[in-house]
Amino acid sequence: MADRIRSFLNEGAVTYAYILLYIALSSGQIFFNKWVLSSKEINFPYPLGLTLLHMVFSSVLCFVLTKVFKVMRVEEGMTLEIYTNSVIPIGATFAMTLWLGNTAYLYISVAFAQMLKAIMPVAVFVLGVAAGLEMMNCRMLFIMSVISFGVLVASYGEININWIGVVYQMGGVVGEALRLIFMEILVKRKGLKLNPVSVMYYVSPCSALCLFIPWIFLEKPRMEAHGTWNFQPVVLLLNSLCTFALNLSVFLVISHTSALTIRVAGVVKDWVVVLMSALLFADTKLTIINLFGYAIAIAGVAAYNNHKLKKEASKGSSNESQHPESIRLTELSTSNS
């Protein structure tokens, strides 16, 4: 009996350690990106270039880990048709999400960007209805209205609102919603089951290529005109390594927790980012209206998550028990930017 209790406690401690690791890495990566992009010490206001470096680093490291050292496995079943019709759109929308989301940090505070991200379920639901993956009903319409109202109140309470930053952030939200829709189509309609490591292996090179093309025309000339820029290789390596570690932490959390735990951890992470950014960055000024609106939006997000979990549970638990990583893959995939 004592051995069972110790085993249970040890298993619980490991699970909580993975969750805390995910929250720490996800929050830390957001703060790290903000610091690199807006810090005068680093002087690297190039979100396209930074995101491109992340994807190149992830592509190389995934190849080394899966093909050279073979410490991780890539799922089989990928065909040219699936790659063209599903992986390329996923890679393109992922690149769009990271590019626009990181660019927003040049104009708005981390806290306000996080508040705007709360509108994500609305974008996903609207696009899901358009794609035939979701059904419109009164309950969902009410939940979407609550989330939208909360985000509007939070925006109204923002002191230093910058509409350019808002447009970039909302563009990132639309990109992420499109990516999740394509992921849903890949899993449900194409029938391909991919774990997060496999997704990184296939998607990262595609995203890198999609970022490289606009980087040549939009940021490369600016970087050359600026001349020398103070960006230490150690900072670059650490920033890219943190991004990859974040993706691996997502894999660990998905493998060792339930869908409900993952969603709760995501909400906790959002609040950690909002509150800690007020302490870390001078451009973050939280107001009571900000926090009140964000609390309303988060309540709507919680209701949306609860609805989705009940919907997934009603479809039966047999598929989830066979492919837990694949079924829950789309639930944690917005943490890079």
Side-chain angles (χ1 to χ4, degrees), residues 14-36:
V14 171
T15 299
Y16 280 114
Y18 286 144
I19 293 172
L20 290 175
L21 178 66
Y22 160 70
I23 293 174
L25 285 173
S26 182
S27 305
Q29 185 62 33
I30 291 174
F31 298 144
F32 202 169
N33 287 348
K34 170 71 173 179
W35 178 67
V36 169

Side-chain angles (χ1 to χ4, degrees), residues 48-60 83 87-88 90-96 98 200-216:
L48 249 177
L50 183 66
T51 310
L52 174 60
L53 289 172
H54 291 168
M55 291 298 101
V56 171
F57 185 87
S58 178
S59 301
V60 173
Y83 193 89
V87 175
I88 290 180
I90 290 170
T93 51
F94 189 43
M96 171 184 171
L98 298 178
M200 289 166 57
Y201 177 82
Y202 289 118
V203 170
S204 295
C206 179
S207 297
L209 180 61
C210 291
L211 290 165
F212 180 72
I213 295 172
W215 175 78
I216 291 177

Side-chain angles (χ1 to χ4, degrees), residues 42-70:
I42 299 299
N43 191 26
F44 194 80
Y46 306 111
L48 249 177
L50 183 66
T51 310
L52 174 60
L53 289 172
H54 291 168
M55 291 298 101
V56 171
F57 185 87
S58 178
S59 301
V60 173
L61 207 53
C62 275
F63 179 82
V64 171
L65 292 175
T66 57
K67 299 301 182 182
V68 179
F69 295 109
K70 297 182 179 180

